Amino acid sequence: MNFIDAVKSVFTNFANFNGRARRSEYWYFALFSIILRVPIMLLVDNQTIDLIIGLALLIPSLSVAVRRMHDVGKSGWFILIPIYNLILACTNGDMGTNEYGPDPKGDAMEDEINAIGNN
């Protein structure tokens, strides 16, 4: 997933707290938030604009973080644990389907099993 696809995916699912999000989706959206907010904080001497942007990004940021926790097989509440949530956000997601949904990367293992015997 590239930068633009990740940002589109987060805004498409901006209030979807179900399912799973890949590491690239989560981290590209974090990068997008930084790229959007830092120049505004540095160049514009108006905190109201930064507050508006921060509020506009709040729900999408929470939803992608919760879906990221789901990808590693944890409850979305784990985003409230400061250091551990960072570790989980960096961890590779569960392969295959878990209790939160199918693997966002695709079910590679299932594809391999289905390909057995086919030439």
Side-chain angles (χ1 to χ4, degrees):
M1 178 172 284
N2 63 34
F3 181 80
I4 294 172
D5 290 339
V7 173
K8 283 181 186 177
S9 175
V10 171
F11 281 119
T12 301
N13 297 305
F14 78 97
N16 180 11
F17 290 86
N18 299 318
R20 297 166 61 175
R22 297 172 68 173
R23 276 186 297 183
S24 59
E25 182 179 359
Y26 176 79
W27 288 111
Y28 278 141
F29 190 73
L31 178 63
F32 169 78
S33 298
I34 292 168
I35 290 172
L36 188 64
R37 293 189 70 188
V38 168
I40 289 173
M41 287 189 304
L42 295 175
L43 299 175
V44 179
D45 194 26
N46 188 348
Q47 292 180 349
T48 306
I49 294 171
D50 183 49
L51 178 66
I52 291 169
I53 291 172
L55 289 173
L57 295 176
L58 179 65
I59 299 298
S61 297
L62 288 174
S63 70
V64 75
V66 167
R67 287 185 281 120
R68 181 69 203 124
M69 295 299 109
H70 289 173
D71 191 40
V72 294
K74 302 291 185 187
S75 167
W77 290 104
F78 277 81
I79 65 172
L80 299 175
I81 303 173
I83 302 299
Y84 190 53
N85 70 6
L86 180 63
I87 294 167
L88 291 175
C90 295
T91 303
N92 197 14
D94 293 344
M95 294 182 85
T97 303
N98 69 12
E99 65 183 293
Y100 299 103
D103 189 348
K105 290 183 179 178
D107 222 350
M109 183 65 82
E110 235 175 82
D111 291 342
E112 287 181 27
I113 292 171
N114 291 335
I116 294 174
N118 295 333
N119 290 329

